[in-house]
Amino acid sequence: MSTSSALISKPAKASGAPGTAHHALEVSGVIVLALLLTAWMTWPFAVEMGSHSIERGDSLLNAYLHAWGVHALLTHPSELFNANIFYPAKNTFALSENLLGNQIFFAPIYLITGNPNLGNNVVALLSFVLCFIAMYLLVRWATGNFWAGLIAGTIFAFAPARVGQFGHNQLLTFEWLPLIVLFLFRFLWRSKKRDLVAFAGCVFLQILCSLYLGYFALLVAGSYFLAIVLTRHQLLRRSALWQLTLAAVIVAGLLFPVLRPYRELQRGALRQDYRLQVSASANPLGSYLDTYNRPYGNLLHRFHSGQYDWEKQLWVGFFPLGLALLGVLSGGWRHKRTSASDEMSGSRLPFLLGSLLLTVTAYVLSLGPVLHIHDTPSHWRLPFLLLCKIVPGFATFRAPARFGILVMFGLSVFAGLGIAFLGEKLAARRGLPSPYVQAVVAAILVIAICHEYRYAPFAPPPAMTPANLSSEYRWLAKQPPDGPVLELPIVLQNGVPNPYVEVSRVYASAFHWHPLVNGYSGYAPPSAPAMYALAEALPSAQAADLLNGLGVHYVLVHGDEMSPQQKQLWSAAEPAQHLRRIAQFAATTVFELFGSDCEIGVENSPAQVVPSEVKAPAQGFQVILNVKAGSVCWVDS
């Protein structure tokens, strides 16, 4: 066994031993390279992430979601899923991914700086570094080749399927996936309990990162486990199966309190968005060959899809594809020197078969419910449609093209195998200083792959931070936190509140934590349309009376975002009964709601949601109103 292959498979030597120093230098070099490549591939974001956001939509939402997780867990853990948005609805944290698995990286940054945007950006950039290292460890173990690990890590970390989701932390932080495979194999080969604990821990953390990635984790683990069943079933001893089953039960038990709110929502109005699934499905070849916004320019622009193109940026690259084909066709399935140690001899076959099963399955799922002929859906149904009917929660996958991320997982593995094959061929040639030749070849390939994948530099927009917090939010942060807030105007886009306006208000609430009538998420609670309708009716006395009766205390009116007609309505010092001006900050006026004759408690039952981009269903939803009304309460019986 080579010295390099002992990195994972053998215990470290005593401190000060040459092998230990070599391994420490190797690991340090991998970490430094991962950091440098991440900074280069996303430049100049690494030096602006404290004051800028990746983009103005989901990045701000994710910063808020991360911050709410810390805030709720530290102040009132039992109310974790009752986030402060979409007041007075409940379980609003479950309307989006909760991102709890990222708290091990986000929480320290946020608690030290108070800047949710910085913490969210650190999580995003760190995901590139960790994905690089995790895939490096997996392929390094499987091939015994240092350079194979580096190439595989580069492809996996910086593939357009990942970079295209830069603003979506719920789709970036899958650094646990390679480690799931690594520790599954190590446990079955070595029967060490620490490998089982590591395997279960990686699955647990990956599911906590997001439900999308939770399904990815199960698909990854299932593909490689099936490969072991088909090729090395003698490893599946009864004791090992019992231990894996026990680990699965423990992980499920720990996840139950977190997943239960999502399950409750799925029993309500959370339905399959079939039209969106069809539009956001990958094209069989086009999505994977599209060089849109890449160094090759218009070379393969004919494959570009005009529908949800940001979801279909699955360009695999010429160099990674060539290396992957080399790895598959080079006879790597029959290599004698297969794994990281002699005790794991023959492990490459289940490893490769698992990678093949995962790649093919993910590719088919990325095509969505029906086969596309470029941007035109056909009548040929695909397995994705069946899984939506039989797998709980699968129907909520609104963008099947995202399974292309797992296609790149398999491609990374096969490319690493191709490099290992080249390395063995170079080592077999006499007269060549093969380690140096391998290093030069690997360096050239890393630069070439990064050049194919790189889309930097880009211009991230500025974001609100504790240093430049708007005056009205500073004022709100000093008020008692139990006063619900409504921010106006409600800017409509295609008949629904503009998401880019609403998400900025949701993000700003992380600096004051007042309950907020406004909201932004993938889905909206059934009470949202009615609350927005009341908000639009302001400053009428009727709307003010009802909103005050519902508990809303403050109304922030952003004059610079209003039309001239809206400004005219709010121009009076006291624009209506039950409204009182209490503060003025530049273009923003703060009103207080008071003196309502209505005391209304609202309870939605059962918990239901509707997609945020469509209106509430015409048949309505079940709602209970508890009303105590005076003679002038404007409640329609």
Side-chain angles (χ1 to χ4, degrees), residues 24-36:
L25 181 63
E26 181 178 310
V27 172
S28 299
V30 171
I31 294 173
V32 170
L33 179 61
L35 290 169
L36 291 176

Side-chain angles (χ1 to χ4, degrees), residues 243-524:
Q243 290 178 68
L244 283 172
T245 302
L246 178 61
V249 171
I250 293 174
V251 169
L254 293 173
L255 289 171
F256 179 76
V258 177
L259 299 181
R260 183 179 179 181
Y262 294 96
R263 184 60 181 161
E264 290 176 351
L265 288 176
Q266 289 171 12
R267 293 194 186 104
L270 186 59
R271 298 186 178 94
Q272 180 180 4
D273 193 344
Y274 178 77
R275 181 178 300 178
L276 177 58
Q277 287 176 337
V278 171
S279 299
S281 296
N283 299 317
L285 287 178
S287 297
Y288 292 94
L289 295 179
D290 182 10
T291 57
Y292 175 72
N293 205 26
R294 301 291 162 184
Y296 297 112
N298 295 325
L299 178 63
L300 297 176
H301 187 66
R302 67 174 64 90
F303 293 113
H304 183 67
S305 172
Q307 296 179 330
Y308 291 91
D309 59 346
W310 61 91
E311 295 287 3
K312 302 179 184 182
Q313 295 179 13
L314 307 178
W315 162 238
V316 297
F318 293 127
F319 288 100
L321 184 59
L323 289 172
L325 291 174
L326 177 63
V328 173
L329 302 176
S330 63
W333 301 80
R334 302 186 300 274
H335 286 180
K336 293 179 181 179
R337 181 175 172 273
T338 58
S339 186
S341 77
D342 295 336
E343 69 185 74
M344 301 177 188
S345 179
S347 66
R348 182 173 286 182
L349 181 57
F351 179 70
L352 291 177
L353 180 58
S355 301
L356 182 62
L357 289 172
L358 176 64
T359 304
V360 173
T361 302
Y363 172 75
V364 172
L365 291 178
S366 74
L367 304 181
V370 296
L371 185 67
H372 279 68
I373 309 301
H374 193 50
D375 275 348
T376 304
S378 70
H379 296 290
W380 296 350
R381 298 183 178 183
L382 297 175
F384 185 93
L385 191 60
L386 177 62
L387 292 177
C388 287
K389 297 179 180 179
I390 63 176
V391 177
F394 200 85
T396 61
F397 277 53
R398 295 189 292 177
R402 293 172 177 177
F403 278 95
I405 292 170
L406 294 185
V407 174
M408 297 309 301
F409 186 111
L411 193 75
S412 303
V413 170
F414 291 127
L417 180 61
I419 289 294
F421 171 75
L422 286 177
E424 291 171 7
K425 288 298 182 182
L426 287 173
R429 295 181 65 88
R430 296 182 179 181
L432 280 176
S434 60
Y436 301 104
V437 174
Q438 287 189 52
V440 171
V441 170
I444 293 173
L445 286 173
V446 166
I447 294 173
I449 292 167
C450 288
H451 180 67
E452 284 192 316
Y453 287 172
R454 189 169 184 256
Y455 74 104
F458 73 107
M464 190 181 298
T465 69
N468 64 1
L469 187 62
S470 297
S471 300
E472 60 268 26
Y473 299 125
R474 290 185 186 276
W475 180 86
L476 270 179
K478 298 176 182 179
Q479 310 309 310
D482 55 349
V485 174
L486 166 65
E487 296 198 49
L488 296 176
I490 305 300
V491 181
L492 297 180
Q493 178 179 323
N494 298 324
V496 297
N498 187 316
Y500 292 100
V501 174
E502 294 299 281
V503 73
S504 64
R505 296 165 180 177
V506 168
Y507 171 73
S509 76
F511 295 96
H512 60 75
W513 292 127
H514 284 261
L516 186 68
V517 174
N518 307 77
Y520 171 79
S521 68
Y523 296 90

Side-chain angles (χ1 to χ4, degrees), residues 66 119 134 157 184 213 246 267 283 285 374 409 449 493 508 535 547 556 567 569 580 615 624 632:
H66 279 121
L184 174 63
L213 300 184
L246 178 61
R267 293 194 186 104
N283 299 317
L285 287 178
H374 193 50
F409 186 111
I449 292 167
Q493 178 179 323
L547 286 168
L556 271 61
K567 288 182 180 179
L569 289 174
R580 178 166 52 209
K615 295 182 179 180
I624 299 172
V632 293

